[in-house]
Amino acid sequence: MRISAKADYAVRAALQLAAARDTGPLKAEAIAEHQGISHKFLEGILGDMRKGGLVLSQRGGNGGYWLARPAGEISLADVIRCVEGPLVSVRGERPPELSYTGPAASLLTVWVALRANVRQVLEGVSLAEVAAGRLPSEITALAEAPEAWANP
């Protein structure tokens, strides 16, 4: 699985908004500066997140962006899906839409298992947990395995 710059930036922007939940709306410029993201690129991402119902916005001097729901109710998967679509696709198709024959027939099961595991991780972590640095034990256990940090 590959996490695009767009998905990474969207998650980082959402985390910045989660961390600022009590301070009012954040301007895109401030989010871009704090996260080292191109302001122009971030504006497009925030627009996608607004259309997807994850953030709200207000124009004007006191305007900016804020999360549409509490950070504890928004998973990393929600943010990634909002800007990129399905978490796992093969040639642009979702695994259940595929079919294989012959020696590749069981490959579909592999793709579905991959999707299930990606969902388990990304749906199992909320913006609030990441922003607070309190990840679920299942996630930290996966990351603590030495082979998780090795590049084959």
Side-chain angles (χ1 to χ4, degrees):
M1 178 178 176
R2 181 173 121 7
I3 304 293
S4 69
K6 184 176 185 179
D8 179 57
Y9 293 171
V11 170
R12 290 167 48 200
L15 290 168
Q16 196 71 45
L17 293 171
R21 70 186 174 275
D22 298 327
T23 63
L26 284 182
K27 297 202 178 300
E29 297 87 5
I31 298 168
E33 183 178 321
H34 280 81
Q35 291 299 319
I37 301 170
S38 159
H39 175 253
K40 185 175 179 174
F41 192 33
L42 181 61
E43 282 284 356
I45 291 168
L46 289 168
D48 288 346
M49 292 170 68
R50 188 177 42 76
K51 289 175 194 163
L54 286 182
V55 300
L56 300 171
S57 64
Q58 178 178 321
R59 293 183 182 178
N62 294 324
Y65 294 88
W66 64 95
L67 295 175
R69 302 190 313 261
E73 295 177 12
I74 302 173
S75 72
L76 299 183
D78 294 331
V79 178
I80 294 170
R81 282 187 186 113
C82 187
V83 298
E84 292 284 20
L87 295 175
V88 175
S89 64
V90 179
R91 302 184 323 267
E93 296 182 53
R94 294 176 180 191
E97 298 167 357
L98 302 170
S99 65
Y100 297 102
T101 60
S106 62
L107 185 57
L108 180 57
T109 303
V110 174
W111 297 151
V112 171
L114 173 66
R115 182 174 73 162
N117 277 285
V118 169
R119 281 179 173 171
Q120 183 178 0
V121 170
L122 295 178
E123 290 175 352
V125 182
S126 73
L127 293 176
E129 290 167 319
V130 177
R134 291 189 302 258
L135 300 176
S137 59
E138 302 82 25
I139 302 302
T140 55
L142 287 170
E144 287 172 352
E147 62 273 9
W149 294 89
N151 292 326

